[in-house]
Amino acid sequence: MKKQLLAVLFLLFSASFLFGQSLSGIKIYINPGHGGYTSNDRHILETDYWESEGNLTRGLFLRDILQKLGATVIMSRVTNTEDDDIQPTSYIAARANTYNPDYFHSIHSNATGTSTRVNYTLLLFQGTTTSPTYPLAKTMAGYIGNEILGAHRTTTRDIAGDFTFYNSTGPYLGVFVGLKMPGTLSESSFHDYIPESWRLRNQAYLKHEAWAIAKAFLAYWGKPPLTTGIIAGILRDPDLGVSYTSLTLQDAKKPVNSIKVTLKPADALNTMEPVVYEGDNLNNGFFMFDELTPGQYKLYYEAPGYFRDSSTVTVQASKNTFADKDLLSTVPPFVVSVSPASGDSIYPGKEDIVISFSRAMNKASVESAISVSPKAPLTFTWSSEKNLTVATAGLPFMTDFTLTIGAGAQEKSHGLSLDGNKDGVSGDIYTCSFRTRLQDLSAPVLETVYPSDNMENVEPMPLINISFNEQINTSTASGRIKLVRNSDQKVLALKANYLPVDGQKSVFCFFPVDTLMENESYSLIISSGIEDLYKNPTSSEKVYTFKTGSKLPTMVYIDKFESGFTANWVSPLTYSSGITSAGTNFASSSIYRFYGSSSSMLINYSWKKSASSWLLREPLIGGAPKNVTFSNSGILQAYIFGDGSNNKFRFCVADGSDFKGLEVSPWYTINWIGWRLLSWDMQREGTGTWDGNTSSNGILDGQLKFDSFQLSYIPGNPESGFICLDNLRAAKDSYMGVEEGDEDLRPSNYSLAQNYPNPFNPSTTLSYKLPEKSFVSLKVFDLLGREVATLVNSEQGAGSYKVEFNASNIPSGIYLYMLRTDNFQETKKMVLLK
Amino acid sequence: MKNFFSSFFLVLFLSSFIPAQKLSVVEIQKITDKSQGEFYFPRTSPDGSKIFFTSASYKGLWYYSMAEKKIIPFASEDGAGYEYVFSNDKSSVIYRASNLDDRGLRRNQSLIKRNLQDLQSEVIVTAKELSTPKVLASNNIAYMEEGNVILEAGGPHLNKTGANDMALYSVDGKILFYMNGTKKVFSPLGEGEYIWPSLSPDGTKILFTEVHRGAFISDLQGRILASLGKISAPNWSPDGKWITYMVEKDDGEFVTGSEIFACSSDGLHVFQLTSTSDVHEMYPTWSSDGSSILFNSEDGNIYSLKLKSE
């Protein structure tokens, strides 16, 4: 109590000494954004942070500081109830106008609203960035942005006019509309970045931001800077991580709760009483001391379960001095993990023993405490103070070992001995057992090859797929896999992609650089000498001869599974049966991506063995891919990365009136590893059966749309695994409308149709008709007349055309598309709404 | 061009009542394009020959001459475009100018009367802080100095108080109602934050907005006559039979749409006059003859919406 009183007295003393009335005569309107606890008040479930609450707290702190500086401050709200949530936002500006203030500032924090995590500072003002409604507001945005960046240590700061930031067609910030004084809006940091969200729950952290904004007001009006300074910091545990995404190495460490930080003058002769900060238990570890007279101070850090620590810091007027500290736990060190796990096996010389400790260790004490039985020579390499690699080259094959780490192993800072059994008490040993494996003397075995030997009618751009039963030293495969045209023995260039699968098997996928000739014989030659990881070479050459067929019809792409595709597909958990929810999901994969693509669709599956039937359905539910129609007499294809599980895969399409019917392809057994082009020739193969589905009659009625990928389980095969899919497409057939020369269906007039869908995100289809052959230009412009994209710029025959416009790289807004031919020109408008 | 705009703005009628009178849109004409300058908050001159507008920050005043079909600069001061008034003899515009230093701090404010014909200006008064001016029925110009007192009658510009002089001031979230030489705080809903007060053209009703409860019409004693809901920037028609206003959509932060509406002054008959997803129509006011509604888009174009009532 006495300390708290003294702390208050100290603050009062500082305040009376340090505060002038430098903002006297200035009237400032503060608008803490939002209000109340409803859906538009930005709640973060994980941290229970309400933006409406944080905005108000910052606003009240700012009010108090500005008033101490002599300003007249008007608050748009001082409580956080639903009644405080003023809507429409034009009311806020109109209300501020009645007070005739000199400046308006709205306080917010930010969120991406997506799974992306960022944490920067954003300051907005009305107008465009280059032509603000109030030029001084842009100046102020710079001051506030810099100060908040400095206080919150966000990654960067950005300032922008709201018309530029949100696009000239809106949305735009309502609080600026009709405002008759300069105004800014701060999005100080991102409350959906969880480490920041926890910090925003700390009152001192919010007050620190208020100081930052107050300092900006002083600079903005050319007033003297504060004569006092601030010490702030975060206490973290360097040995514990966090479960959520962290953008910095610091944020990856777990903040310490219930901290106590004591501030004393460094000068022993200074009689100032200590000031104590007691932290919260809200996972932020933050502390702050404000209104400090410049000079040197000592800080003493304490927290339950941690060693006491201290530091000396220097405070400068109007500056933030940061005194972050890693507090070290009093919990003794233990072994977090050992690879191989107890009872597991390793291949000597190829796989090492990796030991991970909970704390930074005294290396010498650890090395002298480690041994194996039977005794064998060990060599040590530390990848960090917590991670030790023990080389196994000296261990014999086919031997059972016990690894022991003695209690003499100590952590680095305080010499705490190892807690081998992890019971919280130092001084016991750690042991585990492992076995060395049989020496591998076998050459890698070819498992599957596509195209297979003597295969006919192979597509002229085949995806050559060669899988082995183990991983390959890829450098030994170089020059040993060739594709030869048999007629002239020409060796053809290949593009290659190598992928290990499930840590054991591996696969090479090749594409010819140039399309192969039709109806021609080729040989795939796999020479001897391809080695596994243990230097065992293949001994014989294998030759696979195949013959190409005719060219495929032109295809229309349904989905290339590039950036943003997941929005159009729904989770496989939604319509599936006989699966386990924990192991079944879908995602974008950049690892298993098809050659020339940046991502593919990854489906992880996990079957519930006890179920009586199994169907995983991965449906396409919206977006431009859902609008693509194709003929029931064509071919539906997708590149599929198989896992060799021998489980089943099939396509499903929607047909009939309003596409309400569903038909499936026959099942295909996933008996390959790596990429393969899977085709459903609908006319030749017909449909499969979908037991119990009344929407399915076995007949492909009329035009089709894609419905879903489907997987099923065959008992005895692996219960879990994955497949990847890329470049889903269908034979063009009637999709693109009329081919040149089809007189009967030739359009009678030029026309440019309204794009569909509209508004759209990110792609839309533009359709037009040409009654005669003409040079055609189809371009997209923004409202300033700047060309955004050229979609067509060539001569085309009479017919109906559809062109997809993908706007994933341009901002939301209104765009114009113009069709220009020799005798016709028309422009239409479309709305991109992201 | 006309066809473009008539298709550009869809017109909808939304009313569940059979109105005594019906409003419909004949056409919407763009008066100024943002390429000529971004203009906001349009109003017509009392004789209808000019459409006045200002910048987004209320700095300066311009007008569009209907006869000359061109934009003419009228005043350049900071704040000139905020709550300016026309003199009763229609010869002048009276506005408040803020004199700012280079950091945007207000040194003082002046009320300026500027003649529409010869552009001669007179400074009526200069003080640290002034209200915007009002023109009273008696031709007096009334204003408040530093939020304290309504000054009327005196000097060359302010004559003796007239019996029917009334003025409404919006100050610090309150409405101050000046009538026949006295002023009082006008709080028809009790405690609240009041904005956008205006007298009906016949001086018998008051239109106001309370930020938590929306817009209302009351009599001069504050008895509520009509509740208009959460509408923005409402304005009387010259005959006092109609109110025009905007309805915005926002998520508490971003405005995503705004449309122009009109309703009968009893609040019962509501007509949506614009419906566009890509243009935000805002801040409507009536033309002096009541035949049109002027408004601006958020990006600074000025439009005139011609009405038909039947």
Side-chain angles (χ1 to χ4, degrees):
Chain A
M1 187 64 183
K2 184 185 166 197
K3 278 185 178 171
Q4 283 176 342
L5 180 64
L6 287 168
V8 171
L9 284 173
F10 169 72
L11 290 174
L12 286 175
F13 167 76
S14 303
S16 60
F17 176 68
L18 300 166
F19 275 95
Q21 294 291 302
S22 51
L23 295 180
S24 177
I26 294 174
K27 204 189 285 185
I28 300 167
Y29 194 93
I30 303 295
N31 167 235
H34 309 285
Y37 297 95
T38 58
S39 58
N40 74 351
D41 294 310
R42 278 64 166 173
H43 183 229
I44 300 298
L45 201 61
E46 191 166 350
T47 61
D48 197 24
Y49 174 74
W50 287 88
E51 191 199 335
S52 57
E53 207 171 70
N55 294 343
L56 176 62
T57 306
R58 282 175 280 197
L60 292 172
F61 278 131
L62 179 59
R63 176 194 64 182
D64 295 347
I65 294 168
L66 292 174
Q67 283 177 342
K68 279 187 185 177
L69 290 165
T72 301
V73 181
I74 305 115
M75 299 287 294
S76 66
R77 65 184 175 99
V78 293
T79 54
N80 192 40
T81 67
E82 197 46 35
D83 203 35
D84 292 306
D85 200 359
I86 304 302
Q87 282 182 290
T89 44
S90 64
Y91 284 15
I92 297 172
R95 187 179 171 195
N97 286 346
T98 73
Y99 289 88
N100 212 10
D102 297 291
Y103 202 88
F104 173 97
H105 184 68
S106 185
I107 297 174
H108 290 256
S109 53
N110 213 339
T112 65
T114 68
S115 57
T116 303
R117 293 289 162 257
V118 293
N119 192 35
Y120 61 87
T121 299
L122 173 66
L123 264 293
L124 296 168
F125 47 86
Q126 194 188 36
T128 63
T129 303
T130 52
S131 180
T133 298
Y134 290 95
L136 285 169
K138 182 176 177 179
T139 306
M140 180 59 157
Y143 284 129
I144 300 178
N146 288 343
E147 289 293 347
I148 294 178
L149 173 71
H152 284 347
R153 295 181 284 178
T154 48
T155 53
T156 50
R157 77 106 171 97
D158 190 14
I159 66 170
D162 63 343
F163 273 42
T164 304
F165 192 79
Y166 298 111
N167 279 308
S168 59
T169 54
Y172 52 90
L173 291 171
V175 291
F176 292 150
V177 182
L179 201 62
K180 73 176 188 67
M181 77 291 304
T184 35
L185 183 147
S186 54
E187 302 273 14
S188 60
S189 54
F190 278 70
H191 57 247
D192 60 356
Y193 173 50
I194 299 303
E196 185 69 12
S197 194
W198 283 120
R199 288 192 282 269
L200 288 168
R201 291 212 57 198
N202 181 293
Q203 298 286 301
Y205 192 74
L206 299 175
K207 190 178 184 189
H208 198 194
E209 181 178 325
W211 276 111
I213 300 172
K215 285 199 278 185
F217 274 115
L218 291 172
Y220 174 70
W221 278 310
K223 304 298 180 188
L226 294 172
T227 55
T228 61
I230 288 173
I231 297 173
I234 297 176
L235 304 187
R236 299 181 174 95
D237 184 332
D239 297 314
L240 293 180
V242 294
S243 58
Y244 35 78
T245 302
S246 47
L247 297 172
T248 64
L249 289 175
Q250 290 293 76
D251 280 348
K253 301 177 205 170
K254 189 173 170 55
V256 177
N257 279 333
S258 304
I259 61 171
K260 180 179 170 186
V261 184
T262 305
L263 174 100
K264 294 179 182 175
D267 179 0
L269 298 177
N270 189 320
T271 56
M272 185 191 108
E273 282 292 321
V275 186
V276 177
Y277 174 93
E278 293 192 347
D280 56 33
N281 60 352
L282 295 171
N283 305 315
N284 52 69
F286 185 80
F287 67 92
M288 183 187 75
F289 298 94
D290 57 358
E291 301 182 54
L292 297 175
T293 306
Q296 260 201 344
Y297 293 85
K298 285 280 284 184
L299 291 171
Y300 299 93
Y301 312 103
E302 298 168 69
Y306 289 88
F307 288 106
R308 202 166 186 262
D309 209 337
S310 66
S311 56
T312 303
V313 294
T314 302
V315 170
Q316 293 176 272
S318 195
K319 302 268 192 215
N320 299 308
T321 302
F322 289 102
D324 295 336
K325 198 77 179 174
D326 286 347
L327 290 190
L328 295 173
S329 170
T330 55
V331 173
F334 55 86
V335 174
V336 175
S337 65
V338 172
S339 173
S342 201
D344 220 339
S345 63
I346 57 171
Y347 193 93
K350 208 69 196 166
E351 296 160 341
D352 290 329
I353 301 167
V354 179
I355 305 168
S356 177
F357 294 95
S358 65
R359 304 284 298 276
M361 300 300 285
N362 177 322
K363 293 177 185 175
S365 72
V366 174
E367 290 176 14
S368 61
I370 292 188
S371 61
V372 287
S373 177
K375 202 171 166 100
L378 302 173
T379 53
F380 304 104
T381 309
W382 290 84
S383 59
S384 72
E385 290 183 317
K386 292 161 80 171
N387 294 297
L388 172 64
T389 300
V390 183
T392 58
L395 303 188
F397 288 94
M398 288 294 284
T399 308
D400 290 319
F401 283 98
T402 299
L403 172 78
T404 301
I405 309 172
Q410 294 178 343
E411 58 89 29
K412 183 184 169 192
S413 62
H414 293 80
L416 293 175
S417 295
L418 185 71
D419 171 15
N421 61 3
K422 213 176 160 184
D423 64 354
V425 180
S426 286
D428 32 52
I429 63 168
Y430 174 87
T431 61
C432 70
S433 58
F434 64 92
R435 183 178 175 78
T436 51
R437 286 203 293 274
L438 181 67
Q439 190 171 9
D440 185 340
L441 299 171
S442 307
V445 177
L446 265 174
E447 287 205 325
T448 61
V449 174
Y450 179 90
S452 56
D453 199 21
N454 299 320
M455 195 171 182
E456 296 206 340
N457 208 25
V458 172
E459 60 271 23
M461 182 56 83
L463 203 172
I464 297 163
N465 203 75
I466 302 167
S467 68
F468 289 92
N469 69 334
E470 61 181 323
Q471 291 186 38
I472 297 298
N473 177 350
T474 52
S475 66
T476 63
S478 178
R480 287 192 167 90
I481 299 175
K482 289 179 194 160
L483 180 64
V484 176
R485 184 162 60 211
N486 291 328
S487 58
D488 58 3
Q489 291 301 297
K490 182 177 179 183
V491 177
L492 302 170
L494 296 171
K495 299 174 192 169
N497 191 8
Y498 172 79
L499 291 162
V501 180
D502 285 345
Q504 291 179 10
K505 300 183 176 186
S506 64
V507 63
F508 285 96
C509 300
F510 295 96
F511 253 138
V513 170
D514 299 312
T515 304
L516 304 188
M517 293 168 69
E518 295 178 43
N519 304 311
E520 183 70 51
S521 172
Y522 292 87
S523 289
L524 179 65
I525 302 168
I526 305 170
S527 303
S528 60
I530 297 175
E531 294 179 3
D532 62 11
L533 300 179
Y534 311 105
K535 299 187 182 298
N536 301 306
T538 54
S539 56
S540 59
E541 180 179 271
K542 305 274 186 187
V543 179
Y544 297 83
T545 300
F546 63 89
K547 192 173 174 189
T548 54
S550 302
K551 255 199 309 195
L552 287 171
T554 307
M555 309 299 282
V556 58
Y557 282 92
I558 300 169
D559 201 332
K560 290 184 175 179
F561 302 103
E562 295 300 301
S563 172
F565 79 85
T566 52
N568 298 328
W569 297 77
V570 74
S571 163
L573 300 178
T574 313
Y575 298 108
S576 301
S577 58
I579 56 163
T580 66
S581 56
T584 304
N585 53 55
F586 87 111
S588 172
S589 169
S590 58
I591 302 168
Y592 294 102
R593 62 189 169 82
F594 186 61
Y595 194 90
S597 148
S598 60
S599 61
S600 68
M601 175 193 269
L602 166 69
I603 300 175
N604 288 305
Y605 62 84
S606 173
W607 304 112
K608 195 182 288 180
K609 206 174 173 184
S610 58
S612 56
S613 64
W614 301 269
L615 179 66
L616 184 153
R617 186 172 166 216
E618 175 55 69
L620 171 66
I621 54 157
K626 195 66 188 168
N627 296 322
V628 176
T629 57
F630 47 92
S631 165
N632 61 3
S633 58
I635 295 172
L636 185 63
Q637 295 183 323
Y639 284 99
I640 300 179
F641 192 99
D643 61 354
S645 65
N646 287 317
N647 287 317
K648 296 187 292 184
F649 170 90
R650 70 183 177 190
F651 300 101
C652 179
V653 295
D655 70 345
S657 170
D658 297 331
F659 301 100
K660 289 194 174 146
L662 292 172
E663 302 297 344
V664 292
S665 71
W667 285 111
Y668 302 100
T669 302
I670 308 169
N671 56 6
W672 69 95
I673 292 170
W675 285 109
R676 178 169 299 182
L677 180 64
L678 192 68
S679 300
W680 176 22
D681 186 332
M682 290 178 270
Q683 202 165 32
R684 289 184 190 169
E685 295 179 67
T687 61
T689 55
W690 187 349
D691 293 338
N693 191 316
T694 54
S695 301
S696 173
N697 62 5
I699 299 166
L700 293 162
D701 299 317
Q703 286 285 292
L704 309 175
K705 286 186 178 180
F706 189 78
D707 175 77
S708 58
F709 298 117
Q710 299 188 355
L711 293 163
S712 189
Y713 172 59
I714 295 176
N717 290 335
E719 291 159 39
S720 62
F722 75 96
I723 64 165
C724 290
L725 300 120
D726 215 339
N727 289 2
L728 174 63
R729 60 198 192 179
K732 169 184 153 184
D733 207 350
S734 59
Y735 170 76
M736 288 291 283
V738 185
E739 295 290 338
E740 186 180 355
D742 190 345
E743 293 291 337
D744 293 335
L745 296 173
R746 184 173 291 184
S748 55
N749 292 306
Y750 286 103
S751 66
L752 176 64
Q754 187 63 48
N755 66 303
Y756 187 85
N758 188 37
F760 67 97
N761 178 28
S763 62
T764 188
T765 302
L766 312 181
S767 310
Y768 59 93
K769 292 181 179 178
L770 308 174
E772 60 192 337
K773 187 175 181 179
S774 173
F775 186 84
V776 176
S777 157
L778 180 61
K779 293 183 174 182
V780 180
F781 300 88
D782 65 16
L783 285 179
L784 296 176
R786 293 177 298 209
E787 188 179 317
V788 173
T790 297
L791 303 177
V792 180
N793 199 29
S794 62
E795 192 172 75
Q796 293 184 318
S800 301
Y801 296 87
K802 292 188 180 191
V803 178
E804 187 185 342
F805 172 50
N806 190 315
S808 53
N809 295 325
I810 59 174
S812 294
I814 299 177
Y815 293 89
L816 305 171
Y817 57 99
M818 178 191 285
L819 176 70
R820 184 180 283 173
T821 72
D822 298 337
N823 302 309
F824 178 77
Q825 178 177 319
E826 186 165 359
T827 303
K828 286 189 181 297
K829 195 170 51 171
M830 57 185 170
V831 179
L832 171 60
L833 200 59
K834 290 188 170 178
Chain B
M1 198 61 162
K2 184 180 158 188
N3 283 341
F4 173 71
F5 281 109
S6 47
S7 62
F8 195 55
F9 290 86
L10 295 173
V11 180
L12 296 178
F13 305 97
L14 291 182
S15 172
S16 58
F17 302 97
I18 306 298
Q21 215 175 7
K22 203 167 149 185
L23 287 182
S24 59
V25 178
V26 177
E27 65 169 354
I28 296 175
Q29 188 187 356
K30 189 189 268 186
I31 304 297
T32 70
D33 184 86
K34 62 183 178 185
S35 61
Q36 301 166 280
E38 292 173 10
F39 297 119
Y40 296 84
F41 316 115
R43 292 170 58 188
T44 53
S45 59
D47 64 2
S49 67
K50 301 175 180 64
I51 298 175
F52 276 80
F53 33 77
T54 181
S55 64
S57 65
Y58 302 98
K59 180 178 169 64
L61 263 177
W62 292 257
Y63 66 79
Y64 178 79
S65 165
M66 304 296 268
E68 297 173 75
K69 300 200 180 306
K70 66 177 186 184
I71 299 168
I72 297 170
F74 181 72
S76 60
E77 293 93 335
D78 280 299
Y82 185 71
E83 294 185 352
Y84 54 92
V85 291
F86 295 95
S87 63
N88 286 347
D89 65 3
K90 305 179 183 177
S91 67
S92 305
V93 177
I94 304 127
Y95 57 87
R96 180 180 64 183
S98 292
N99 307 309
L100 309 177
D101 68 13
D102 58 3
R103 290 179 182 271
L105 263 186
R106 193 168 53 225
R107 289 196 187 96
N108 54 44
Q109 293 182 308
S110 302
L111 295 189
I112 295 172
K113 184 175 182 181
R114 189 163 170 83
N115 190 284
L116 282 162
Q117 295 303 316
D118 59 18
L119 302 182
Q120 291 299 306
S121 291
E122 297 173 59
V123 176
I124 297 170
V125 62
T126 298
K128 173 67 181 162
E129 187 170 356
L130 293 165
S131 72
T132 51
K134 306 288 175 189
V135 174
L136 307 180
S138 59
N139 293 326
N140 287 337
I141 297 167
Y143 58 90
M144 292 172 51
E145 184 173 330
E146 295 179 12
N148 291 321
V149 186
I150 292 182
L151 300 178
E152 75 286 341
H157 312 291
L158 304 171
N159 302 317
K160 199 174 175 185
T161 307
N164 297 318
D165 279 351
M166 286 185 284
L168 294 167
Y169 290 98
S170 186
V171 177
D172 294 352
K174 294 181 175 58
I175 299 171
L176 297 181
F177 185 18
Y178 169 83
M179 183 164 62
N180 298 333
T182 61
K183 81 169 164 119
K184 63 172 183 177
V185 176
F186 184 72
S187 309
L189 302 175
E191 280 295 306
E193 291 270 347
Y194 292 86
I195 54 175
W196 294 320
S198 64
L199 272 169
S200 62
D202 65 1
T204 62
K205 302 185 194 78
I206 293 173
L207 168 63
F208 66 91
T209 304
E210 199 285 313
V211 298
H212 301 97
R213 283 164 279 192
F216 296 85
I217 296 171
S218 75
D219 63 16
L220 301 186
Q221 284 68 47
R223 287 185 289 263
I224 301 299
L225 304 175
S227 170
L228 307 182
K230 286 260 184 168
I231 63 172
S232 296
N235 272 285
W236 293 98
S237 65
D239 62 6
K241 291 180 180 173
W242 301 96
I243 309 288
T244 186
Y245 53 87
M246 61 183 185
V247 173
E248 302 150 274
K249 284 182 197 162
D250 64 53
D251 73 341
E253 196 164 340
F254 314 122
V255 176
T256 53
S258 177
E259 305 297 346
I260 305 295
F261 284 70
C263 70
S264 53
S265 58
D266 57 9
L268 294 179
H269 307 301
V270 178
F271 301 92
Q272 182 169 351
L273 303 176
T274 64
S275 177
T276 54
S277 60
D278 51 350
V279 178
H280 302 327
E281 296 88 349
M282 313 189 86
Y283 292 95
T285 57
W286 296 87
S287 64
S288 55
D289 64 359
S291 67
S292 303
I293 289 173
L294 304 165
F295 64 86
N296 63 261
S297 59
E298 87 289 354
D299 56 349
N301 297 322
I302 303 288
Y303 297 92
S304 172
L305 181 156
K306 192 167 175 53
L307 288 165
K308 185 170 75 174
S309 72
E310 46 192 6

